[in-house]
Amino acid sequence: MDKIKTNLSLDALTVVGTVHERAQKYLDYSRLVESSWITSKGMYHANYKLHGTGFIQISHYSDDVPKMRLDFNPNHVTGNIKKDFYPLFKLMHDAHITRLDVALDIYGLDLSTYQIHDEKSRKKSYYMNGVNRLETAYIGSRNSDRLIRVYDKGLEQKIGSDALWWRVEGQMRYEKARELVNPFDGLVMVKDVEVGDYDIRTRAMVEYLYNHPEAFAELSPNSRAKYKSMIMALGQKIEINFTELFNEKRYDLVDEVRSWVGLTDVARDTE
């Protein structure tokens, strides 16, 4: 088996703040902008699609101070493009993060052979292909303040069926984002479950649920908790320590966020 490699990076930032009216004039002539349009409905008035880097929206100008919403992936902002971002931040006041995503790329390990669980008992969704192979899993609600997404990045990028490249994304919103909490807390992956000497009904249930994790949704809460605990106890845990990886890189992530937005409400202390 290929050597397992991992890389953790800041994958997305959403920053909102009050903005000087010069921001819209700056964007109207900025090389950052790929296209723009005006809308009359909703909170935001001016919309700007950026060249491969994200999206900017500016609210209606009225008696209230206008707000700007900036969504972008720092990994896609380099060189002269990065320099063009700085004037935007200088025009923002009371800026704060409303969303922050981190991406853990895993090379040389097939996560489809693992079953994904959550010690926090959050909602889980599994998406399998035609031969019952995992392609994407979600832990948590898409509207919650913390969401984990696990998916086959190699398949998404169409780089070949032999390439083993999986991504585990942690999405945080509002306070969780500003405090940069560990998004992978509670994430458990196991494989090769050995049911041992349990009775035949229990063995059949464990083996079926291990091979068809989407069937957990059909169980009562008590049964779901019972069999999830059994699988996590009986299975071989993944050799990657998600919490340790995040904690090792956390200060670097904090510094990177501050280099972009200079926020004072991004905590340095680990939860």
Side-chain angles (χ1 to χ4, degrees):
M1 190 175 91
D2 295 335
K3 183 179 178 180
I4 299 171
K5 297 181 181 179
T6 61
N7 181 62
L8 183 67
S9 64
L10 183 63
D11 193 55
L13 270 179
T14 300
V15 183
V16 174
T18 58
V19 66
H20 194 281
E21 62 181 8
R22 290 201 306 270
Q24 190 167 340
K25 295 178 181 178
Y26 175 78
L27 287 168
D28 286 340
Y29 297 97
S30 174
R31 59 184 172 181
L32 287 173
V33 177
E34 178 180 321
S35 60
S36 63
W37 62 96
I38 301 296
T39 56
S40 59
K41 297 180 179 180
M43 177 180 176
Y44 294 101
H45 172 64
N47 304 270
Y48 299 88
K49 184 180 185 298
L50 308 182
H51 284 289
T53 58
F55 201 77
I56 292 175
Q57 294 176 297
I58 298 178
S59 65
H60 290 274
Y61 287 94
S62 64
D63 293 336
D64 296 326
V65 178
K67 290 183 173 59
M68 183 168 75
R69 180 173 183 261
L70 170 59
D71 296 278
F72 69 105
N73 183 338
N75 291 321
H76 297 165
V77 183
T78 58
N80 290 330
I81 295 295
K82 186 171 184 177
K83 293 178 181 178
D84 288 350
F85 265 80
Y86 292 149
L88 280 175
F89 285 114
K90 290 180 180 179
L91 293 170
M92 293 180 74
H93 305 282
D94 302 320
H96 57 278
I97 298 171
T98 59
R99 174 175 167 177
L100 185 153
D101 294 7
V102 295
L104 175 61
D105 289 305
I106 302 172
Y107 307 94
L109 185 65
D110 186 3
L111 296 191
S112 72
T113 63
Y114 289 82
Q115 191 173 106
I116 301 167
H117 287 283
D118 173 42
E119 293 177 334
K120 307 293 184 182
S121 299
R122 291 169 289 189
K123 177 183 178 181
K124 294 182 290 295
S125 301
Y126 301 94
Y127 297 89
M128 322 296 283
N129 66 8
V131 294
N132 203 41
R133 178 182 182 272
L134 177 69
E135 290 187 353
T136 306
Y138 290 93
I139 296 177
S141 166
R142 299 196 187 193
N143 295 321
S144 66
D145 58 6
R146 184 161 48 179
L147 173 71
I148 298 173
R149 180 187 179 210
V150 182
Y151 65 101
D152 188 339
K153 187 69 175 178
L155 178 66
E156 181 199 60
Q157 297 294 310
K158 301 179 181 179
I159 60 175
S161 58
D162 295 331
L164 293 178
W165 176 14
W166 282 77
R167 174 168 286 187
V168 182
E169 290 179 350
Q171 174 185 301
M172 294 160 281
R173 295 178 183 271
Y174 309 114
E175 290 302 319
K176 300 294 186 187
R178 289 191 281 275
E179 295 172 2
L180 198 57
V181 301
N182 179 4
F184 307 127
D185 185 30
L187 178 63
V188 178
M189 296 188 188
V190 297
K191 68 175 183 177
D192 300 334
V193 172
E194 297 290 341
V195 292
D197 299 326
Y198 286 96
D199 63 86
I200 188 169
R201 178 173 295 181
T202 300
R203 295 201 305 270
M205 279 293 293
V206 170
E207 289 179 358
Y208 184 82
L209 290 168
Y210 174 70
N211 290 299
H212 301 274
E214 68 279 6
F216 272 98
E218 302 176 31
L219 300 178
S220 68
N222 287 340
S223 295
R224 191 159 53 238
K226 170 188 173 181
Y227 289 111
K228 183 183 77 170
S229 296
M230 289 182 66
I231 289 174
M232 288 194 294
L234 295 171
Q236 174 187 335
K237 289 184 171 59
I238 194 169
E239 50 265 58
I240 296 172
N241 188 321
F242 296 101
T243 294
E244 186 177 284
L245 277 173
F246 178 80
N247 288 339
E248 287 176 355
K249 193 72 181 289
R250 185 175 182 276
Y251 285 170
D252 293 336
L253 294 172
V254 169
D255 288 339
E256 184 177 358
V257 171
R258 284 179 167 159
S259 75
W260 280 107
V261 296
L263 295 179
T264 59
D265 56 353
V266 179
R268 292 192 67 95
D269 297 327
T270 304
E271 287 286 299

